[in-house]
């Protein structure tokens, strides 16, 4: 069976807007995608609330993605594909990162996959997912209040990075809409839309890499 690592943040973990609870596996895009693929491809869920690409978040342990990615690469191998879906939390005001700096953080992650020693297995392909932009909401966390414009620029930055590294790219903002309930997270419909798109896309990506 082909295996895919889904390395992301709260929208990979399945954070429900408004409640903070975790969506059931029948709702999360990771599990839904696997179901839509008739379980022919295994998707490992590696989502964590608050995870960044390459920055520490004061007061929250284990949030720096680059510090933990290799652990997942080692434990989940062999892998056919690694999906990196991060960047939203890098927009927090407390981190003071520019779009170029967030792009650089995503580059660190992609290059970690590309340089990792997967032997005796073949190295997996990489799919970089640009997060869906934030939306204005009365409940938007103050950390993101000034990041609406920057969030809309990540897709272009990630697209150029994908071309630079020769990896796959997906703009989540063209598939899903962030929930206005909190301005950051995906609702159940968004998870389903993303799963449907990804389930149609994954077989061709994986077949091309064989």
């Amino acid at each position: 069976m082909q295996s895919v690592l889904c390395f992301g943040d709260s929208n990979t973990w399945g954070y429900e807007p408004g409640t903070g609870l975790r969506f059931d596996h029948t709702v999360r895009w990771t599990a839904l995608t696997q179901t839509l693929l008739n379980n022919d491809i295994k998707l490992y869920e590696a989502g964590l609330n608050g995870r960044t690409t390459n920055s520490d978040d004061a007061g929250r342990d284990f949030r720096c993605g680059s510090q933990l990615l290799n652990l997942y690469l080692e434990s989940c191998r062999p892998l056919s594909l690694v999906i990196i879906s991060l960047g939203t939390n890098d927009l927090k005001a407390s981190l003071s990162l520019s779009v170029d700096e967030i792009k650089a953080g995503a580059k660190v992650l992609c290059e970690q996959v590309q340089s990792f020693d997967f032997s005796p297995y073949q190295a997996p392909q990489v799919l970089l997912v640009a997060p869906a932009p934030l939306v204005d909401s009365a409940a938007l966390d103050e950390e993101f209040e000034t990041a609406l414009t920057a969030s809309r620029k990540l897709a272009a930055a990630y697209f150029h990075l994908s071309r630079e590294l020769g990896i796959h790219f997906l703009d989540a903002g063209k598939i899903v809409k962030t929930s206005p309930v909190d301005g950051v997270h995906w609702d159940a419909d968004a998870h389903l839309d993303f799963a449907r798109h990804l389930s149609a896309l994954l077989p061709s990506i994986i077949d091309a890499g064989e």
Side-chain angles (χ1 to χ4, degrees):
M1 177 184 289
Q2 306 289 348
S3 296
V4 176
L5 172 63
C6 305
F7 191 72
D9 52 28
S10 52
N11 280 320
T12 299
W13 183 80
Y15 187 105
E16 182 179 13
T19 71
L21 299 175
R22 192 180 193 185
F23 279 127
D24 183 79
H25 72 280
T26 59
V27 177
R28 300 194 298 270
W29 67 261
T30 44
L32 271 177
T33 300
Q34 182 171 309
T35 298
L36 291 170
L37 290 167
N38 298 313
N39 294 310
D40 290 333
I41 298 176
K42 167 67 178 177
L43 272 70
Y44 290 104
E45 295 182 321
L48 178 65
N49 299 334
R51 176 176 282 153
T52 66
T53 59
N54 191 37
S55 298
D56 291 314
D57 192 346
R60 305 185 78 184
D61 294 332
F62 315 120
R63 265 36 187 201
C64 180
S66 62
Q67 292 180 5
L68 290 177
L69 177 57
N70 282 5
L71 182 151
Y72 286 100
L73 299 179
E74 179 71 19
S75 63
C76 295
R77 67 192 180 104
L79 291 163
S80 298
L81 177 69
V82 176
I83 298 174
I84 295 174
S85 183
L86 290 167
T88 296
N89 292 301
D90 299 70
L91 293 164
K92 290 181 176 180
S94 59
L95 296 178
S96 300
L97 298 175
S98 67
V99 170
D100 283 342
E101 287 171 325
I102 298 172
K103 173 185 173 183
K107 182 178 182 180
V108 168
L109 294 173
C110 295
E111 290 183 330
Q112 276 184 252
V113 181
Q114 292 180 317
S115 64
F116 191 83
D117 182 8
F118 291 93
S119 60
Y121 303 107
Q122 180 177 332
Q125 299 186 78
V126 181
L127 172 61
L128 179 61
V129 178
L134 304 172
V135 300
D136 198 11
S137 167
L140 186 65
D141 190 294
E142 61 181 11
E143 283 273 30
F144 296 110
E145 287 178 351
T146 61
L148 293 171
T149 299
S151 73
R152 293 191 287 269
K153 296 179 180 179
L154 285 180
Y158 278 23
F159 172 77
H160 290 300
L161 176 58
S162 70
R163 300 285 78 79
E164 176 186 342
L165 298 179
I167 61 176
H168 300 280
F169 170 76
L170 183 60
D171 181 359
K174 291 185 176 180
I175 305 164
V176 307
K177 299 297 182 183
T178 302
S179 171
V181 171
D182 67 10
V184 177
H185 298 101
W186 300 358
D187 61 19
D189 287 339
H191 277 265
L192 178 58
D193 289 342
F194 195 72
R196 284 172 170 164
H197 186 92
L198 200 59
S199 64
L201 181 65
L202 285 187
S204 61
I205 290 179
I206 291 175
D207 288 346
E210 292 183 340

